[in-house]
Amino acid sequence: MRSRPDVLVLGGGGVLGEAWMMGVLAGIEDAGEVDLRDCETFVGTSAGAIVAAHLASGRSPLRPSHVNTELGRAGAAPSRGLGVAAVAAARRAGQAAVAASAQFAPLALGAAAPGGAMVRAVLLRGLSRPPDTLDELHRRVADSDARFDGRLRVAAVDRGTGRRVVFGSPRSPRASVADAVTASCTVPWLFAPVRIGEREYVDGGVWSPTNLDAAPAGRGTQVLCLNPSASLGTDHALLAVVRRVSRSAVAIESLALRRRGARARVIAPNAECAEAMGTNFMDSEARVPVLAAGYRQGLVVAAGGGRGH
């Protein structure tokens, strides 16, 4: 990859998905001699929204050399606020969280189908309202000074209607970047929905793992999508479902972009990265090895290889 993409799409994947995406992007920059902060548009979902806001604010992707100064410093990364809160919330939710995630996983394939939003809204309204919030993540994103400047787009789901909302896109509701990113990360069975204006919003991953089709792309547009959840293992039935849905949804959305004349490349974690990430994407202790493995994969991607299609 010797030229930067026009549009960068960053999918959901928890703390380790964020670390992997940072590493891949840093490796692409270093080996490809490109500056990904110059992309025309960033589309982020959940953890990808954190990375998208990071780049849109003018900061470079984290590199393994930053471990002792940024990623390794307690509380430095916004994703740490996500990870600490998610682990605590998941422990409280227990099996209820697993059951809820099993209900929502297949919906990504029917996002655009008639009645799909209605089903999603019914499921969302049927969930009990968790007490936990992502206030720490909100504070960290607010401190980054990221702004909606026409380039940044963040996907979330309206809890009342079940429909996707892409903050930062034309005619989208007004929101701060911190509000939008926090909403995009708010897994509805773990955290209380985020109120923006008169509406409540939850994780954009409830609609799609990447929301690749939300990329503003036309004929000749070069789109690069990073999809962390495509690496989930198959040793657990639910994880196998999530992985299949992630890959299928992204394949459908890639086709939609190609029909517009855009060229889309989707990158998933390679074998080394998938092994480092494991099945618990909120395991903050694995961030450092995942960042390093992602960086090595980014070097390969920049050279024209890597796991993509």
Side-chain angles (χ1 to χ4, degrees), residues 135-202:
D135 291 344
E136 181 64 14
L137 171 65
H138 186 281
R139 184 182 71 79
R140 296 188 186 284
V141 176
D143 288 345
S144 74
D145 293 325
R147 297 287 183 268
F148 283 119
D149 59 358
R151 299 188 305 150
L152 176 62
R153 303 191 178 193
V154 174
V157 170
D158 185 313
R159 180 174 179 268
T161 66
R163 295 187 178 279
R164 178 177 67 190
V165 174
V166 183
F167 292 102
S169 64
R171 297 179 295 282
S172 66
R174 292 177 60 86
S176 69
V177 171
D179 282 345
V181 170
T182 304
S184 188
C185 293
T186 296
V187 179
W189 48 91
L190 295 181
F191 303 111
V194 173
R195 178 170 288 275
I196 299 175
E198 299 300 316
R199 311 294 299 177
E200 290 184 329
Y201 299 92
V202 297

Side-chain angles (χ1 to χ4, degrees), residues 227-245:
N227 182 19
S229 60
S231 73
L232 279 167
T234 57
D235 56 338
H236 186 285
L238 174 59
L239 296 180
V241 170
V242 172
R243 188 178 75 167
R244 287 196 300 270
V245 167

Side-chain angles (χ1 to χ4, degrees), residues 4-138:
R4 66 161 176 77
D6 301 306
V7 180
L8 191 57
V9 178
L10 303 161
V15 172
L16 298 188
E18 181 264 352
W20 173 74
M21 287 185 283
M22 286 286 195
V24 170
L25 296 174
I28 290 173
E29 284 197 341
D30 289 352
E33 299 180 352
V34 296
D35 190 335
L36 294 173
R37 295 173 297 178
D38 293 334
C39 290
E40 295 174 8
T41 308
F42 304 97
V43 179
T45 299
S46 199
I50 295 174
V51 181
H54 178 98
L55 296 172
S57 69
R59 291 177 295 164
S60 296
L62 298 182
R63 288 160 167 78
S65 60
H66 295 154
V67 166
N68 293 327
T69 57
E70 293 189 57
L71 190 62
R73 179 160 48 86
S79 60
R80 181 175 174 82
L82 170 63
V84 171
V87 170
R91 286 173 179 164
R92 279 189 284 273
Q95 282 300 115
V98 175
S101 62
Q103 285 182 303
F104 279 92
L107 284 179
L109 288 178
M118 183 180 299
V119 172
R120 189 176 285 100
V122 169
L123 288 174
L124 287 170
R125 290 196 294 268
L127 292 173
S128 60
R129 185 179 291 264
D132 297 277
T133 63
L134 289 172
D135 291 344
E136 181 64 14
L137 171 65
H138 186 281

